[in-house]
Amino acid sequence: MTQYQEKASITRVERLSTQTLRLTMRSPLIAGAARPGQFIMIRPSERHDPLLGRPFSIHQATGSGTLQIYFNVVGRGTAILASARVDDELDLLGPLGRGYQLVKDAPACLIGGGLGIAPLLFLAKERSRGGHHAADDRIILGGRSRADVEPLVEDYAQFGLSLHCITEDGTFGEKGLATDLLITHPLSTDTVIYGCGPQPMLAALHGICVKSGNPCQVSVESVMACGMGACLGCTVMGHDDNYVHVCVDGPVFDARDLQWQL
Ligand SMILES: Cc1cc2nc3c(=O)[nH]c(=O)nc-3n(C[C@H](O)[C@H](O)[C@H](O)COP(=O)(O)OP(=O)(O)OC[C@H]3O[C@@H](n4cnc5c(N)ncnc54)[C@H](O)[C@@H]3O)c2cc1C
Ligand code: FES
């Protein structure tokens, strides 16, 4: 898989809620090679602080060179990114990791929780192009509250796939957890589930899929320093008691290949 180090110029900055922003960049090499579920490392600053790049899922990428990330401000690196302006340049490395393995001839359920709804947009677009089972496909967007889900609803709605929203406090869509909708509206057993979200949600998703027999791919997060398999910082335990690197073996895994704390 080819990776590129590229200076990307920012073409648009959108604040979508009090904590979330979307950056649109021009990055022809990385955008042209990117697959849904892959990520990039961004150096937030040209100075030494912070020194390390920060990993972000690819929110959207086009063949014409547009690349987007959707992120939450949580610390120093993301605060610097949040202050970026149009025409600023960022150092990017990518596309990195293994993305989703799209199964074209089976129905799909894309299920995202919290910031996990960010990378699934690229997958939804890819999926809507495939055609075969688009009418049976389902997208579930979950979050704690309205602000976690509402900003991306229109982006998802454009693909014409069946869209379900759910929030823990009931302020947008149904009330409950994203995984609740798999219990109340069961899927056909051949549906492939593509998940992204916090660890407890993915563990619950794995538990449901073990019982139902649905194939399930999940994108997991880990703290990353290099993003390229060199620092061992991102390892998680595989099902066979061996460590796997989230940055190069993932971030997307078959859920059965990992150990889960239920
Ligand atoms: C493969 C991958 C894809 C990601 N995609 C996105 C995305 O699309 N949008 C987005 O907003 N964030 C995403 N993240 C998380 C993002 O990388 C972190 O939020 C970011 O690095 C924080 O940098 P900071 O300097 O602002 O915070 P720091 O000052 O480094 O940390 C602030 C707080 O955030 C916690 N934190 C930092 N990194 C992580 C992490 N990887 N997982 C959990 N907690 C963390 C720290 O423990 C600390 O409590 C992704 C992470 C990975 C590994
Ligand atoms: S982030 Fe360095 S080995 Fe994965």
Side-chain angles (χ1 to χ4, degrees):
M1 244 177 295
T2 314
Q3 285 143 6
Y4 303 96
Q5 190 143 21
E6 193 170 41
K7 275 226 182 285
S9 57
I10 296 175
T11 56
R12 193 170 181 202
V13 180
E14 296 166 87
R15 185 170 278 278
L16 298 182
S17 74
T18 47
Q19 282 305 310
T20 50
L21 289 100
R22 177 156 61 190
L23 289 189
T24 305
M25 296 164 272
R26 180 139 184 81
S27 178
L29 295 175
I30 295 176
R35 303 292 307 144
Q38 289 188 296
F39 68 100
I40 53 175
M41 295 292 282
I42 303 185
R43 280 275 315 273
S45 162
E46 296 209 330
R47 283 178 269 150
H48 291 300
D49 178 29
L51 184 61
L52 298 172
R54 300 290 192 261
F56 295 93
S57 303
I58 295 171
H59 175 52
Q60 296 200 81
T62 67
S64 59
T66 301
L67 188 74
Q68 287 185 325
I69 60 163
Y70 176 83
F71 68 98
N72 232 351
V73 180
V74 295
R76 183 144 168 74
T78 45
I80 292 172
L81 285 181
S83 66
R85 301 275 170 265
V86 169
D87 292 335
D88 284 356
E89 288 196 325
L90 292 172
D91 268 324
L92 309 191
L93 176 67
L96 297 167
R98 291 170 196 263
Y100 292 99
Q101 304 293 314
L102 212 57
V103 183
K104 283 208 168 124
D105 53 2
C109 174
L110 282 54
I111 175 165
L115 278 169
I117 71 175
L120 295 179
L121 189 63
F122 190 11
L123 184 63
K125 184 175 179 186
E126 192 84 2
R127 184 69 199 172
S128 68
R129 283 201 193 121
H132 314 299
H133 281 273
D136 302 324
D137 284 359
R138 195 192 295 182
I139 301 175
I140 299 172
L141 305 180
R144 288 209 174 104
S145 196
R146 172 182 286 268
D148 293 338
V149 176
E150 191 179 28
L152 294 188
V153 165
E154 271 186 33
D155 294 274
Y156 275 99
Q158 66 182 309
F159 302 121
L161 307 175
S162 163
L163 182 60
H164 305 259
C165 298
I166 184 160
T167 47
E168 286 175 42
D169 63 4
T171 49
F172 195 80
E174 292 187 42
K175 184 171 184 188
L177 302 170
T179 46
D180 291 348
L181 292 179
L182 298 181
I183 313 280
T184 52
H185 303 79
L187 299 163
S188 61
T189 48
D190 61 337
T191 302
V192 180
I193 297 180
Y194 304 89
C196 187
Q199 201 276 342
M201 174 197 144
L202 298 182
L205 189 59
H206 171 59
I208 291 168
C209 292
V210 166
K211 283 195 193 130
S212 66
N214 288 94
C216 178
Q217 301 177 28
V218 290
S219 177
V220 299
E221 266 198 30
S222 174
V223 174
M224 288 186 185
C226 72
M228 300 192 74
C231 73
L232 305 181
C234 65
T235 51
V236 295
M237 191 65 90
H239 71 106
D240 55 1
D241 290 338
N242 285 314
Y243 284 104
V244 290
H245 291 87
V246 173
C247 65
V248 287
D249 302 317
V252 178
F253 294 88
D254 184 317
R256 291 168 304 187
D257 291 342
L258 299 178
Q259 284 189 21
W260 296 98
Q261 317 277 336
L262 287 173

